[in-house]
Amino acid sequence: MAATQEKATPCCLDAAPAKSSALLHKASDPMRDWTVSGSDPSQDPIRNRAAVPTLIRPIETLPATSTNTTATKGIPVMLRAQTSHPLEPLSAAEISVAVATVRAAGATPEVRDSMRFVEVALVEPDKHVVALADAYFFPPFQPSLLPRTKGGPMIPSKLPPRQARLVVYNKKSNETSIWIVELSEVHAATRGGHHRGKVISSKVVPDVQPPMDAMEYAECEAVVKDFPPFREAMKKRGIEDMDLVMVDPWCAGYHSEADAPSRRLAKPLIFCRTESDCPMENGYARPVEGIHVLVDMQNMVVLEFEDRKLVPLPPADPLRNYTPGETRGGVDRSDVKPLQIIQPEGPSFRVNGHFVEWQKWNFRIGFTSKEGLVIYSVAYIDGSRGRRPVAHRLSFVEMVVPYGDPNAPHYRKNAFDAGEDGLGKNAHSLKKGCDCLGYIKYFDAHFTNFTGGVETIENCVCLHEEDHGILWKHQDWRTGLAEVRRSRRLTVSFICTVANYEYGFYWHFYQDGHIEAEVKLTGILSLGALQPGETRKYGTTIAPGLYAPVHQHFFVARMDMAVDSKPGETFNQVVEVNVKVEEPGKNNVHNNAFYAEEKLLKSELQAMRDCNPLSARHWIVRNTRNVNRTGQLTGYKLVPGSNCLPLAGSEAKFLRRAAFLKHNLWVTSYARDEVYPGGEFPNQNPRIGEGLATWVKKNRSLEEADIVLWYVFGVTHIPRLEDWPVMPVERIGFTLMPHGFFNCSTAVDVPPNTCDLDLKDNGMTAKPIQNGLLAKL
């Protein structure tokens, strides 16, 4: 992922590169570098001082930035630039080096030719390495991130080399392997004489299937269309032009031993357009029912084919299309006036690479092919208290879409869109003025394709400010004097398309210190065809012969919290809060009393919890060592939005792989390799409850820990006629809100706006407000 400076208009946002980033200290003996190997605590330079060269002299304060040798309290210091922050997304060049390194390591030409590259991701370093980088190597230098030590901090000459982690599928052997490649080493003598990285490790992962790739999907569609029995079946339905046919390969899931990962399988859904010369026609309006296809994705052959039931194609629905001039009889609205968001003084945020500062917030932006957007190192600058961490890492790590129709093919529609496909890989370029509005900073994203080439999604992540209505207001009724403030929020987002559905993922940062996570669902319904006169109670009939099955969408947010905690500290805990009604009696003689009751979640098994709106249930992550001015522990609370649980029996097949959906909240003690709630490879996974449901059986203590929250939230979709032909956005999410974190409201110092309007030319033009935002109607 790369910051795209030129995309931000009207001016460039990226700060000039830091002239100095690393510290090199003179010593009487030669200097040596240090490295961190994996997540072995014995190799951690902070926990084990022996791992850091003792030749480095401690310093008490950070020297001024300079390209020259400077002196700090008599200690000669040379500052040296670093190219990439440890959390910087892999560049296109780094991905190319990683792929080339692994390919060159293949034992034979056959092995190298059969390698398919599913994922190339950054190996995120230990939290102490990130703290060291932020403290002394990258601006804005923050030495307070490191724990104080006697004699001052120990500062190495440079950071450990960056590493890439590759998931590689061998198309010939049907094996999946994981490779770790160090990116800083240069081996000019390797095959071809090109620069390579260095293979640190490789291992084969048995009994798994990695996510599917777009190249596989395209090849699968072509194979099915060329299969003679399929063409004959389509001919029975009146279709001979294969250009009209859409084959959407769906992962097979796991319903029985026949779906075991010993084979790489897909069970496509079939649709058919009406007009071959209309590329924007809504082909999902004509589902093809009754045809069963099973495709071997390794060898690209049809394994099973059966024309089980001849269901007539639904007639062409005149309301099926959604392009301009083709909706609701071909008449578009003509009374929508332009709306412009203009910031003549530029935005209030600052961006340096992937580091963002805005309204006392600062964080880093990352991106992966599986999760999409990742937010790192979230902190708030709180006056004299300085930088106060809130979270180390925030992301959406999985989503599941189970359908509620027991009929074929809908009963097996339970997509794991992150684990089976990849949310990041399915992201797309955002359009200024459409997907995002206002003064925008874009970031590009880089991925490997299936054959190892590098692909770039331009304008993949959008960063911009939004006006968000009133932040607060009060009018004194005695004097008539009023104070009101507008709310501004900073939004970071991306949008992905998975077959028929679109999902927008948003993190909103607010001036009062709270963070909102939001998912916007839109796109096209996945439909089924009906026999003439048939109806089904498991969906909604939306047109003759056409119905939309009921279904649910579930999302999992993983939040590696760090409330007032330096990296690696284990001073957080979680309490559950429920509002209780006081029992009638001497303490409640008026029968109006209620109170908030707190319960400490002491262990992982105790922390499997569900939402309860009847008791206003929420959860607070507290720091056990920090207090506010009233003596209460500082904290951030998770406030649920609307939510649901799976509407399926306990023996539902998809719950074998998605046991994490059984509760809305899970809490674990941080472990570096615990990232994906259904395990890393949910595709055709035969193992019951892999991932989160298994990890919590360790029942680790949470009374003082490095806390990770897993919040599962969803929506039950009963389709409406108004969801056709394209579904208006539906929003779900949750909020992380300060709870005793600050000593008072952080919103009182937001400056007032200029709100009066001038009427000109029968229109309204807003005067510029004092903080630089202009809304023009």
Side-chain angles (χ1 to χ4, degrees):
M1 182 179 183
T4 55
Q5 177 178 334
E6 68 279 7
K7 303 299 191 312
T9 56
C11 68
C12 164
L13 299 183
D14 282 341
K19 295 181 180 178
S20 59
S21 301
L23 300 180
L24 180 63
H25 302 274
K26 286 187 176 180
S28 57
D29 293 305
M31 180 65 68
R32 294 172 298 183
D33 300 333
W34 61 270
T35 61
V36 172
S37 175
S39 59
D40 184 358
S42 67
Q43 300 298 317
D44 191 307
I46 305 300
R47 297 176 185 171
N48 182 11
R49 293 294 177 181
V52 182
T54 57
L55 304 175
I56 301 173
R57 299 181 183 179
I59 62 170
E60 296 179 13
T61 59
L62 182 72
T65 299
S66 172
T67 55
N68 301 319
T69 301
T70 61
T72 301
K73 295 190 176 181
I75 302 175
V77 176
M78 180 181 295
L79 299 176
R80 184 176 64 184
Q82 294 285 312
T83 55
S84 297
H85 187 276
L87 294 177
E88 194 88 357
L90 293 178
S91 66
E94 287 176 314
I95 293 173
S96 294
V97 167
V99 169
T101 301
V102 170
R103 183 173 276 137
T108 66
E110 291 75 17
V111 170
R112 294 191 289 273
D113 291 343
S114 62
M115 285 181 173
R116 298 296 181 267
F117 296 87
V118 178
E119 180 183 10
V120 181
L122 173 72
V123 176
E124 296 177 10
D126 186 87
K127 294 179 181 180
H128 289 91
V129 176
V130 176
L132 183 65
D134 289 336
Y136 293 112
F137 286 77
F138 293 90
F141 305 102
Q142 303 166 79
S144 63
L145 286 171
L146 293 179
R148 293 183 179 179
T149 56
K150 187 176 181 179
M154 302 291 289
I155 309 169
S157 64
K158 68 177 182 179
L159 296 171
R162 282 159 63 84
Q163 295 182 343
R165 183 178 187 272
L166 296 86
V167 177
V168 180
Y169 174 70
N170 188 303
K171 194 169 176 63
K172 184 175 182 179
S173 67
N174 193 37
E175 289 181 333
T176 299
S177 57
I178 295 176
W179 300 67
I180 304 297
V181 173
E182 186 176 286
L183 297 170
S184 64
E185 296 291 333
V186 175
H187 300 272
T190 56
R191 186 176 292 103
H194 299 296
H195 291 175
R196 306 290 188 201
K198 177 182 177 182
V199 174
I200 302 300
S201 66
S202 66
K203 64 177 181 179
V204 173
V205 185
D207 300 320
V208 300
Q209 283 294 338
M212 294 290 186
D213 186 85
M215 288 185 177
E216 291 182 287
Y217 287 157
E219 192 173 354
C220 176
E221 180 175 55
V223 167
V224 172
K225 286 184 179 183
D226 287 341
F227 191 61
F230 175 77
R231 299 174 75 96
E232 185 63 30
M234 293 304 298
K235 188 175 181 179
K236 290 180 182 178
R237 291 161 173 80
I239 303 298
E240 297 189 41
D241 183 358
M242 286 296 108
D243 289 339
L244 297 175
V245 178
M246 298 164 44
V247 179
D248 276 12
W250 280 54
C251 293
Y254 189 89
H255 294 81
S256 68
E257 183 60 29
D259 299 323
S262 57
R263 301 183 297 175
R264 188 165 175 80
L265 303 174
K267 295 182 178 180
L269 299 178
I270 313 299
F271 303 89
C272 187
R273 289 190 170 95
T274 304
E275 306 170 65
S276 60
D277 59 349
C278 183
M280 287 299 293
E281 184 191 0
N282 183 1
Y284 291 109
R286 299 183 80 197
V288 180
E289 295 266 353
I291 295 178
H292 165 76
V293 187
L294 179 67
V295 179
D296 177 348
M297 300 292 280
Q298 177 190 358
N299 302 300
M300 282 300 165
V301 296
V302 176
L303 294 176
E304 298 176 9
F305 180 86
E306 187 178 355
D307 191 355
R308 294 175 173 174
K309 181 171 62 174
L310 182 59
V311 180
L313 284 175
D317 181 8
L319 300 179
R320 69 188 181 279
N321 290 332
Y322 49 87
T323 50
E326 295 190 61
T327 59
R328 299 179 63 86
V331 179
D332 293 339
R333 300 186 189 192
S334 59
D335 57 350
V336 181
K337 304 299 183 182
L339 174 64
Q340 298 176 3
I341 305 299
I342 302 171
Q343 293 176 268
E345 299 177 16
S348 300
F349 58 78
R350 293 184 296 174
V351 179
N352 184 1
H354 288 78
F355 183 74
V356 178
E357 296 174 283
W358 177 83
Q359 293 290 290
K360 304 182 183 181
W361 285 108
N362 61 62
F363 54 85
R364 289 190 177 275
I365 291 176
F367 205 88
T368 74
S369 62
K370 185 172 291 186
E371 303 158 278
L373 177 63
V374 180
I375 307 292
Y376 297 107
S377 304
V378 179
Y380 192 93
I381 307 301
D382 186 18
S384 61
R385 300 188 70 171
R387 182 187 186 275
R388 301 182 65 189
V390 175
H392 176 72
R393 191 183 194 275
L394 306 173
S395 70
F396 296 97
V397 288
E398 189 56 274
M399 59 172 292
V400 184
V401 187
Y403 280 70
D405 186 343
N407 297 285
H410 308 289
Y411 74 89
R412 59 178 176 80
K413 289 160 63 175
N414 39 72
F416 288 61
D417 286 334
E420 291 180 341
D421 291 286
L423 300 178
K425 268 198 169 183
N426 285 282
H428 42 77
S429 296
L430 304 176
K431 296 182 179 179
K432 184 177 176 66
C434 298
D435 297 303
C436 304
L437 188 63
Y439 193 111
I440 300 164
K441 169 68 177 177
Y442 288 113
F443 299 85
D444 294 346
H446 305 295
F447 305 101
T448 178
N449 60 29
F450 209 39
T451 57
V454 179
E455 296 185 358
T456 298
I457 302 175
E458 295 185 348
N459 298 2
C460 186
V461 171
C462 172
L463 173 73
H464 71 293
E465 293 176 281
E466 295 178 342
D467 178 88
H468 195 63
I470 293 177
L471 177 61
W472 61 265
K473 180 174 183 175
H474 179 68
Q475 178 168 313
D476 189 321
W477 65 270
R478 290 180 175 86
T479 64
L481 299 177
E483 289 287 341
V484 61
R485 302 292 187 271
R486 299 292 296 178
S487 176
R488 183 86 65 88
R489 70 182 185 184
L490 183 69
T491 296
V492 195
S493 63
F494 82 104
I495 301 173
C496 69
T497 300
V498 186
N500 53 294
Y501 255 105
E502 267 75 21
Y503 301 98
F505 295 90
Y506 299 78
W507 292 98
H508 305 292
F509 294 84
Y510 289 82
Q511 292 163 306
D512 65 351
H514 84 266
I515 304 168
E516 181 186 9
E518 182 181 38
V519 179
K520 298 180 181 180
L521 299 81
T522 182
I524 301 174
L525 296 168
S526 181
L527 306 178
L530 299 172
Q531 295 277 14
E534 181 187 5
T535 59
R536 288 187 189 172
K537 66 178 181 180
Y538 306 107
T540 302
T541 301
I542 61 172
L546 198 60
Y547 91 113
V550 294
H551 56 282
Q552 295 181 289
H553 299 261
F554 290 99
F555 306 87
V556 185
R558 179 182 180 273
M559 294 166 280
D560 184 356
M561 302 300 291
V563 176
D564 269 335
S565 295
K566 295 175 181 178
E569 289 185 343
T570 57
F571 301 148
N572 281 182
Q573 62 180 204
V574 180
V575 295
E576 178 175 286
V577 181
N578 289 281
V579 175
K580 296 292 184 73
V581 175
E582 185 69 84
E583 294 292 333
K586 65 178 182 179
N587 293 328
N588 189 17
V589 295
H590 303 292
N591 289 306
N592 69 314
F594 62 91
Y595 61 97
E597 181 180 78
E598 295 185 358
K599 178 183 178 181
L600 176 64
L601 302 180
K602 297 182 178 181
S603 67
E604 291 177 327
L605 289 177
Q606 192 181 83
M608 299 185 297
R609 308 300 297 163
D610 297 325
C611 296
N612 184 1
L614 297 179
S615 67
R617 180 174 294 170
H618 58 275
W619 300 275
I620 305 174
V621 180
R622 284 187 172 148
N623 186 291
T624 59
R625 308 294 177 93
N626 251 32
V627 297
N628 53 36
R629 67 174 179 168
T630 64
Q632 299 171 327
L633 297 177
T634 59
Y636 255 77
K637 68 179 180 181
L638 169 59
V639 182
S642 61
N643 209 334
C644 62
L645 288 169
L647 297 171
S650 60
E651 299 302 315
K653 299 296 185 183
F654 75 90
L655 288 177
R656 292 173 54 100
R657 301 185 293 147
F660 54 87
L661 296 184
K662 295 180 180 179
H663 296 287
N664 296 128
L665 180 76
W666 307 69
V667 185
T668 60
S669 180
Y670 171 79
R672 187 172 182 176
D673 59 346
E674 295 179 1
V675 179
Y676 305 109
E680 184 175 5
F681 302 106
N683 186 16
Q684 296 179 238
N685 186 2
R687 294 167 290 279
I688 299 175
E690 185 170 15
L692 193 52
T694 297
W695 301 332
V696 298
K697 291 179 181 179
K698 302 174 187 176
N699 205 25
R700 293 163 289 196
S701 173
L702 301 175
E703 293 189 63
E704 243 190 359
D706 189 350
I707 292 293
V708 179
L709 299 180
W710 309 74
Y711 184 62
V712 182
F713 59 107
V715 61
T716 301
H717 194 184
I718 311 299
R720 313 166 299 157
L721 268 68
E722 292 84 356
D723 292 328
W724 183 251
V726 65
M727 191 180 79
V729 163
E730 187 166 3
R731 296 169 172 85
I732 56 173
F734 62 91
T735 302
L736 290 172
M737 185 174 295
H739 188 91
F741 190 79
F742 302 111
N743 285 328
C744 67
S745 170
T746 61
V748 294
D749 61 354
V750 174
N753 302 338
T754 300
C755 306
D756 57 317
L757 298 174
D758 291 336
L759 295 179
K760 295 180 180 178
D761 301 326
N762 297 322
M764 291 193 301
T765 302
K767 291 182 178 179
I769 63 176
Q770 292 181 7
N771 55 0
L773 185 66
L774 178 69
K776 182 178 180 182
L777 296 123

